CSV table of all heavy atoms in Angstrom, one decimal:
chain,number,residue,atom,x,y,z
A,155,ALA,N,-14.0,-25.7,-5.1
A,155,ALA,CA,-13.5,-25.3,-3.8
A,155,ALA,C,-12.0,-25.3,-3.7
A,155,ALA,O,-11.3,-26.2,-4.3
A,155,ALA,CB,-14.0,-26.3,-2.7
A,156,LEU,N,-11.4,-24.3,-3.1
A,156,LEU,CA,-10.0,-24.2,-3.0
A,156,LEU,C,-9.4,-25.3,-2.1
A,156,LEU,O,-9.9,-25.7,-1.1
A,156,LEU,CB,-9.6,-22.8,-2.4
A,156,LEU,CG,-9.8,-21.6,-3.4
A,156,LEU,CD1,-9.7,-20.3,-2.6
A,156,LEU,CD2,-8.8,-21.6,-4.5
A,157,PRO,N,-8.2,-25.7,-2.5
A,157,PRO,CA,-7.5,-26.7,-1.7
A,157,PRO,C,-6.9,-26.1,-0.5
A,157,PRO,O,-6.6,-24.9,-0.4
A,157,PRO,CB,-6.4,-27.2,-2.6
A,157,PRO,CG,-6.1,-26.1,-3.5
A,157,PRO,CD,-7.4,-25.4,-3.7
A,158,ALA,N,-6.6,-26.9,0.5
A,158,ALA,CA,-5.8,-26.5,1.7
A,158,ALA,C,-6.4,-25.3,2.5
A,158,ALA,O,-5.8,-24.6,3.1
A,158,ALA,CB,-4.4,-26.2,1.3
A,159,SER,N,-7.7,-25.2,2.3
A,159,SER,CA,-8.5,-24.1,3.1
A,159,SER,C,-7.9,-22.7,2.8
A,159,SER,O,-7.9,-21.9,3.6
A,159,SER,CB,-8.5,-24.4,4.6
A,159,SER,OG,-9.1,-25.6,4.9
A,160,ILE,N,-7.4,-22.6,1.6
A,160,ILE,CA,-6.8,-21.3,1.2
A,160,ILE,C,-7.9,-20.2,1.2
A,160,ILE,O,-9.0,-20.4,0.7
A,160,ILE,CB,-6.2,-21.3,-0.2
A,160,ILE,CG1,-5.0,-22.3,-0.2
A,160,ILE,CG2,-5.7,-20.0,-0.7
A,160,ILE,CD1,-4.4,-22.6,-1.5
A,161,ASN,N,-7.6,-19.0,1.7
A,161,ASN,CA,-8.5,-17.9,1.8
A,161,ASN,C,-8.2,-16.9,0.7
A,161,ASN,O,-7.2,-16.2,0.7
A,161,ASN,CB,-8.4,-17.2,3.2
A,161,ASN,CG,-9.6,-16.2,3.4
A,161,ASN,OD1,-9.8,-15.4,2.6
A,161,ASN,ND2,-10.3,-16.4,4.5
A,162,GLY,N,-9.1,-16.9,-0.3
A,162,GLY,CA,-8.9,-16.0,-1.5
A,162,GLY,C,-8.8,-14.6,-1.1
A,162,GLY,O,-8.0,-13.8,-1.7
A,163,GLY,N,-9.6,-14.1,-0.2
A,163,GLY,CA,-9.6,-12.7,0.2
A,163,GLY,C,-8.2,-12.3,0.8
A,163,GLY,O,-7.7,-11.2,0.5
A,164,VAL,N,-7.7,-13.2,1.7
A,164,VAL,CA,-6.4,-12.9,2.3
A,164,VAL,C,-5.3,-12.9,1.2
A,164,VAL,O,-4.5,-12.0,1.2
A,164,VAL,CB,-6.1,-14.1,3.3
A,164,VAL,CG1,-4.6,-13.9,3.8
A,164,VAL,CG2,-7.0,-14.0,4.5
A,165,ILE,N,-5.4,-13.8,0.2
A,165,ILE,CA,-4.4,-13.8,-0.8
A,165,ILE,C,-4.4,-12.6,-1.7
A,165,ILE,O,-3.4,-12.0,-2.0
A,165,ILE,CB,-4.6,-15.1,-1.7
A,165,ILE,CG1,-4.2,-16.3,-0.9
A,165,ILE,CG2,-3.7,-15.0,-3.0
A,165,ILE,CD1,-4.7,-17.6,-1.5
A,166,TYR,N,-5.6,-12.1,-2.0
A,166,TYR,CA,-5.7,-10.9,-2.9
A,166,TYR,C,-5.1,-9.7,-2.2
A,166,TYR,O,-4.4,-9.0,-2.8
A,166,TYR,CB,-7.2,-10.7,-3.2
A,166,TYR,CG,-7.4,-9.3,-3.8
A,166,TYR,CD1,-7.1,-9.1,-5.2
A,166,TYR,CD2,-7.9,-8.3,-3.1
A,166,TYR,CE1,-7.3,-7.9,-5.7
A,166,TYR,CE2,-8.1,-7.0,-3.6
A,166,TYR,CZ,-7.8,-6.8,-5.0
A,166,TYR,OH,-7.9,-5.6,-5.5
A,167,GLU,N,-5.5,-9.5,-0.9
A,167,GLU,CA,-5.0,-8.4,-0.2
A,167,GLU,C,-3.5,-8.4,0.0
A,167,GLU,O,-2.8,-7.3,-0.2
A,167,GLU,CB,-5.7,-8.3,1.2
A,167,GLU,CG,-7.1,-8.0,1.1
A,167,GLU,CD,-7.5,-6.6,0.5
A,167,GLU,OE1,-6.7,-5.7,0.5
A,167,GLU,OE2,-8.7,-6.5,0.0
A,168,ARG,N,-2.9,-9.5,0.2
A,168,ARG,CA,-1.5,-9.6,0.4
A,168,ARG,C,-0.8,-9.4,-1.0
A,168,ARG,O,0.2,-8.7,-1.1
A,168,ARG,CB,-1.1,-11.0,0.9
A,168,ARG,CG,-1.5,-11.2,2.3
A,168,ARG,CD,-1.0,-12.6,2.8
A,168,ARG,NE,-1.4,-12.9,4.1
A,168,ARG,CZ,-1.0,-14.1,4.8
A,168,ARG,NH1,-0.3,-15.0,4.1
A,168,ARG,NH2,-1.4,-14.3,6.0
A,169,HIS,N,-1.3,-10.0,-2.0
A,169,HIS,CA,-0.8,-9.7,-3.4
A,169,HIS,C,-0.8,-8.3,-3.7
A,169,HIS,O,0.2,-7.7,-4.3
A,169,HIS,CB,-1.5,-10.6,-4.4
A,169,HIS,CG,-0.9,-10.6,-5.8
A,169,HIS,ND1,-1.6,-11.1,-6.9
A,169,HIS,CD2,0.3,-10.2,-6.2
A,169,HIS,CE1,-0.8,-11.0,-7.9
A,169,HIS,NE2,0.4,-10.5,-7.5
A,170,TYR,N,-1.9,-7.6,-3.4
A,170,TYR,CA,-2.1,-6.2,-3.7
A,170,TYR,C,-1.0,-5.4,-2.9
A,170,TYR,O,-0.3,-4.5,-3.5
A,170,TYR,CB,-3.5,-5.8,-3.2
A,170,TYR,CG,-3.9,-4.4,-3.6
A,170,TYR,CD1,-4.9,-4.3,-4.7
A,170,TYR,CD2,-3.5,-3.2,-3.0
A,170,TYR,CE1,-5.3,-3.0,-5.1
A,170,TYR,CE2,-3.9,-2.0,-3.5
A,170,TYR,CZ,-4.8,-1.9,-4.5
A,170,TYR,OH,-5.3,-0.6,-4.9
A,171,ALA,N,-0.8,-5.7,-1.6
A,171,ALA,CA,0.1,-4.9,-0.8
A,171,ALA,C,1.6,-5.2,-1.3
A,171,ALA,O,2.4,-4.2,-1.4
A,171,ALA,CB,0.0,-5.3,0.6
A,172,LEU,N,1.9,-6.4,-1.7
A,172,LEU,CA,3.2,-6.7,-2.1
A,172,LEU,C,3.5,-6.1,-3.5
A,172,LEU,O,4.7,-5.7,-3.8
A,172,LEU,CB,3.4,-8.2,-2.1
A,172,LEU,CG,3.5,-8.9,-0.7
A,172,LEU,CD1,3.3,-10.4,-0.8
A,172,LEU,CD2,4.7,-8.5,0.0
A,173,ASN,N,2.5,-6.1,-4.3
A,173,ASN,CA,2.7,-5.4,-5.6
A,173,ASN,C,3.0,-3.9,-5.5
A,173,ASN,O,3.9,-3.4,-6.1
A,173,ASN,CB,1.5,-5.6,-6.5
A,173,ASN,CG,1.6,-6.9,-7.4
A,173,ASN,OD1,2.6,-7.6,-7.3
A,173,ASN,ND2,0.6,-7.1,-8.3
A,174,TRP,N,2.3,-3.3,-4.5
A,174,TRP,CA,2.5,-1.9,-4.3
A,174,TRP,C,3.9,-1.7,-3.7
A,174,TRP,O,4.7,-0.8,-4.1
A,174,TRP,CB,1.5,-1.3,-3.3
A,174,TRP,CG,1.8,0.1,-2.8
A,174,TRP,CD1,1.5,1.2,-3.5
A,174,TRP,CD2,2.5,0.4,-1.6
A,174,TRP,NE1,2.0,2.3,-2.8
A,174,TRP,CE2,2.6,1.8,-1.6
A,174,TRP,CE3,3.0,-0.3,-0.5
A,174,TRP,CZ2,3.2,2.6,-0.6
A,174,TRP,CZ3,3.7,0.4,0.5
A,174,TRP,CH2,3.7,1.8,0.5
A,175,LEU,N,4.3,-2.6,-2.8
A,175,LEU,CA,5.6,-2.5,-2.1
A,175,LEU,C,6.7,-2.6,-3.1
A,175,LEU,O,7.8,-1.9,-3.0
A,175,LEU,CB,5.7,-3.5,-1.0
A,175,LEU,CG,6.7,-3.5,0.1
A,175,LEU,CD1,6.3,-4.3,1.3
A,175,LEU,CD2,8.1,-4.0,-0.4
A,176,THR,N,6.6,-3.5,-4.1
A,176,THR,CA,7.6,-3.7,-5.1
A,176,THR,C,7.5,-2.8,-6.3
A,176,THR,O,8.1,-3.1,-7.4
A,176,THR,CB,7.6,-5.2,-5.5
A,176,THR,OG1,6.3,-5.6,-6.0
A,176,THR,CG2,8.0,-6.1,-4.3
A,177,ASN,N,6.6,-1.8,-6.2
A,177,ASN,CA,6.4,-0.8,-7.3
A,177,ASN,C,6.0,-1.4,-8.6
A,177,ASN,O,6.4,-1.1,-9.7
A,177,ASN,CB,7.7,0.0,-7.6
A,177,ASN,CG,7.9,1.1,-6.6
A,177,ASN,OD1,7.2,2.1,-6.7
A,177,ASN,ND2,8.8,1.1,-5.7
A,178,PHE,N,5.1,-2.4,-8.5
A,178,PHE,CA,4.5,-3.0,-9.7
A,178,PHE,C,3.8,-2.0,-10.6
A,178,PHE,O,2.9,-1.3,-10.1
A,178,PHE,CB,3.5,-4.1,-9.3
A,178,PHE,CG,3.0,-4.9,-10.5
A,178,PHE,CD1,3.7,-5.8,-11.2
A,178,PHE,CD2,1.7,-4.7,-10.9
A,178,PHE,CE1,3.2,-6.5,-12.2
A,178,PHE,CE2,1.1,-5.4,-12.0
A,178,PHE,CZ,1.9,-6.3,-12.7
A,179,GLU,N,4.3,-1.9,-11.8
A,179,GLU,CA,3.8,-0.9,-12.8
A,179,GLU,C,3.9,0.6,-12.3
A,179,GLU,O,3.2,1.5,-12.8
A,179,GLU,CB,2.3,-1.2,-13.2
A,179,GLU,CG,2.2,-2.5,-13.9
A,179,GLU,CD,0.8,-2.8,-14.4
A,179,GLU,OE1,-0.2,-2.2,-13.8
A,179,GLU,OE2,0.6,-3.6,-15.3
A,180,ASN,N,4.7,0.8,-11.2
A,180,ASN,CA,4.9,2.1,-10.6
A,180,ASN,C,3.5,2.7,-10.2
A,180,ASN,O,3.4,4.0,-10.3
A,180,ASN,CB,5.6,3.0,-11.6
A,180,ASN,CG,7.0,2.5,-11.8
A,180,ASN,OD1,7.8,2.2,-10.9
A,180,ASN,ND2,7.4,2.5,-13.1
A,181,ALA,N,2.6,1.9,-9.8
A,181,ALA,CA,1.2,2.4,-9.5
A,181,ALA,C,1.1,3.0,-8.1
A,181,ALA,O,1.7,2.5,-7.2
A,181,ALA,CB,0.2,1.3,-9.7
A,182,ASP,N,0.3,4.0,-8.0
A,182,ASP,CA,-0.1,4.5,-6.6
A,182,ASP,C,-1.0,3.5,-6.0
A,182,ASP,O,-1.6,2.7,-6.7
A,182,ASP,CB,-0.7,5.9,-6.8
A,182,ASP,CG,0.2,6.9,-7.3
A,182,ASP,OD1,1.4,6.8,-7.0
A,182,ASP,OD2,-0.2,7.9,-8.0
A,183,TRP,N,-1.3,3.7,-4.7
A,183,TRP,CA,-2.0,2.7,-4.0
A,183,TRP,C,-3.4,2.4,-4.6
A,183,TRP,O,-3.8,1.2,-4.7
A,183,TRP,CB,-2.2,3.1,-2.5
A,183,TRP,CG,-3.0,2.1,-1.7
A,183,TRP,CD1,-4.3,2.2,-1.3
A,183,TRP,CD2,-2.5,0.9,-1.2
A,183,TRP,NE1,-4.7,1.1,-0.6
A,183,TRP,CE2,-3.6,0.3,-0.5
A,183,TRP,CE3,-1.3,0.2,-1.2
A,183,TRP,CZ2,-3.5,-1.0,0.1
A,183,TRP,CZ3,-1.2,-1.0,-0.6
A,183,TRP,CH2,-2.3,-1.6,0.1
A,184,ASP,N,-4.1,3.4,-4.9
A,184,ASP,CA,-5.5,3.2,-5.5
A,184,ASP,C,-5.5,2.5,-6.8
A,184,ASP,O,-6.5,1.9,-7.2
A,184,ASP,CB,-6.2,4.5,-5.6
A,184,ASP,CG,-6.7,5.1,-4.3
A,184,ASP,OD1,-6.7,4.4,-3.3
A,184,ASP,OD2,-7.0,6.3,-4.3
A,185,ASP,N,-4.3,2.5,-7.5
A,185,ASP,CA,-4.3,2.0,-8.9
A,185,ASP,C,-3.5,0.7,-9.0
A,185,ASP,O,-3.2,0.2,-10.2
A,185,ASP,CB,-3.7,3.0,-9.8
A,185,ASP,CG,-4.4,4.4,-9.7
A,185,ASP,OD1,-5.7,4.3,-9.7
A,185,ASP,OD2,-3.8,5.4,-9.7
A,186,VAL,N,-3.2,0.0,-7.9
A,186,VAL,CA,-2.4,-1.2,-8.0
A,186,VAL,C,-3.2,-2.3,-8.7
A,186,VAL,O,-4.4,-2.5,-8.5
A,186,VAL,CB,-2.0,-1.7,-6.6
A,186,VAL,CG1,-1.4,-3.1,-6.6
A,186,VAL,CG2,-1.1,-0.7,-5.9
A,187,ASP,N,-2.6,-3.0,-9.6
A,187,ASP,CA,-3.2,-4.1,-10.3
A,187,ASP,C,-2.6,-5.5,-9.8
A,187,ASP,O,-1.4,-5.5,-9.3
A,187,ASP,CB,-2.9,-4.0,-11.8
A,187,ASP,CG,-3.9,-4.9,-12.6
A,187,ASP,OD1,-4.8,-5.5,-12.1
A,187,ASP,OD2,-3.6,-5.0,-13.9
A,188,THR,N,-3.3,-6.5,-9.9
A,188,THR,CA,-2.8,-7.8,-9.5
A,188,THR,C,-3.1,-8.9,-10.6
A,188,THR,O,-3.8,-9.9,-10.3
A,188,THR,CB,-3.5,-8.3,-8.2
A,188,THR,OG1,-5.0,-8.3,-8.4
A,188,THR,CG2,-3.2,-7.4,-7.0
A,189,PRO,N,-2.6,-8.7,-11.8
A,189,PRO,CA,-2.8,-9.7,-12.8
A,189,PRO,C,-2.1,-11.0,-12.5
A,189,PRO,O,-1.1,-11.0,-11.9
A,189,PRO,CB,-2.2,-9.0,-14.1
A,189,PRO,CG,-1.2,-8.1,-13.5
A,189,PRO,CD,-1.7,-7.6,-12.2
A,190,THR,N,-2.7,-12.1,-13.0
A,190,THR,CA,-2.1,-13.4,-12.8
A,190,THR,C,-2.0,-14.1,-14.1
A,190,THR,O,-1.6,-15.3,-14.1
A,190,THR,CB,-2.9,-14.2,-11.8
A,190,THR,OG1,-4.3,-14.3,-12.2
A,190,THR,CG2,-2.9,-13.6,-10.4
């Protein structure tokens, strides 16, 4: 179970959006990756 009631779905979507915003791998929206 995740600590501090962290919501994994929320985190994934935010990471996705922020990676797109910062041009991670210069990917278009459909192709954004979120490696950790």
Side-chain angles (χ1 to χ4, degrees):
L156 286 168
S159 301
I160 296 170
N161 189 308
V164 171
I165 291 167
Y166 169 76
E167 294 296 337
R168 291 183 184 181
H169 190 193
Y170 193 104
L172 291 166
N173 269 5
W174 174 82
L175 195 159
T176 54
N177 275 291
F178 183 75
E179 296 183 340
N180 296 311
D182 293 330
W183 180 259
D184 286 344
D185 302 318
V186 172
D187 196 9
T188 57
T190 54

